Amino acid sequence: MTVRVMLISPAPGLASRAARFDDDAPLDEAGTRRARAAAASLPGGARAVAAPSRRCRETAAALGLDPAPAPGLRDLEVGRWRGRSLEELAAGEPEAVAAWLADPGAAPHGGESVLDLVARVGGWLDGLAGGDGGRILAVADPAVIRAAAVHALGLPPAVFWRLDVAPLTLTELTGRAGRWNLRCGRPLTAPAPAAG
């Protein structure tokens, strides 16, 4: 049976605006406003789930969703790099950052490698495709959405860093029997005002 998984990236929060690895900071007021404005453009008739991060849960709430928790969609675990900026890390640990960005199996931060993330998210996706089908609306962190695309399309894990996921966009995967199709990055926007 076919399953449609619609992955929504969260509104920007304090960490994303500061270009830091997420430290479970809340959405700021601007991010909450943007999510509320986008609520009307959500596709209907889907079961909602949300990743455990605070920004995903708060985005789901601002979108008017009442999602079930989805622990398998937790963000890439960056270990001791959590809360720090990539610029700061590149200055202090240039070899570790270079290895992490070049090798999908590297985890110099003591957290999860990109390969591990892709396998975890891929297992979640494949579990859905083997189920009874339906539509799922999932609010998930950008790294999780990139990992889902890499897995679904059988892309080399090295392309993970070349996939951009903008805030409040919808990436749609449709799958059945181990085969996935991808529709990329539709923005969630407030409806245009009626003319007249």
Side-chain angles (χ1 to χ4, degrees), residues 71-76 112 115-124:
L73 295 181
R74 70 185 181 282
D75 200 4
L76 175 66
E112 186 175 35
L115 286 177
D116 291 338
L117 174 68
V118 170
R120 174 168 52 83
V121 173
W124 180 82

